Amino acid sequence: NNTQPEDEGSFSGSAHRAWINLKSALGGGKQMILNEAERGEDAIKEKYEEVLKTTAGSGATDILNRHYAAVKKAHDKVRDLRDQCKHESKAK
């Protein structure tokens, strides 16, 4: 299980990682990083939803649905971590 962050990918993914790094360097903290990560996961999820609509019934549908399920699971995990962090910081 690799826990190292991704350092390759699409231009928009690279730009988003650079934005997170900049905000973190400026003192954004864990909550900011989780907010930005969840925003990135939202964008990925939306792209899959668009593609699934346009490819419905094609030979790729099963594969795309499996990928989408993994993307949604990752999105939900990041969202839950973000919410947990938010609740922990309010409790302090």
Side-chain angles (χ1 to χ4, degrees):
N1 188 359
N2 186 1
T3 59
Q4 293 298 315
E6 181 69 37
D7 61 359
E8 297 178 8
S10 69
F11 173 75
S12 61
S14 294
H16 192 243
R17 283 188 297 280
W19 178 243
I20 289 172
N21 290 339
L22 174 63
K23 288 180 85 171
S24 180
L26 295 173
K30 185 168 51 170
Q31 183 67 49
M32 181 282 313
I33 291 169
L34 289 168
N35 287 341
E36 286 299 316
E38 204 263 340
R39 192 169 67 93
E41 292 294 329
D42 279 345
I44 294 166
K45 192 176 76 153
E46 288 171 11
K47 290 294 182 188
Y48 264 92
E49 290 167 353
E50 290 172 17
V51 169
L52 283 167
K53 287 178 187 173
T54 62
T55 61
S58 75
T61 301
D62 288 342
I63 293 169
L64 289 170
N65 276 321
R66 284 195 304 270
H67 287 194
Y68 176 72
V71 164
K72 179 119 173 51
K73 184 176 178 179
H75 168 274
D76 293 350
K77 173 127 177 113
V78 170
R79 181 203 59 218
D80 293 347
L81 288 169
R82 181 206 61 196
D83 291 348
Q84 179 183 352
C85 183
K86 190 183 300 182
H87 293 303
E88 287 172 1
S89 65
K90 285 182 181 179
K92 289 181 180 180

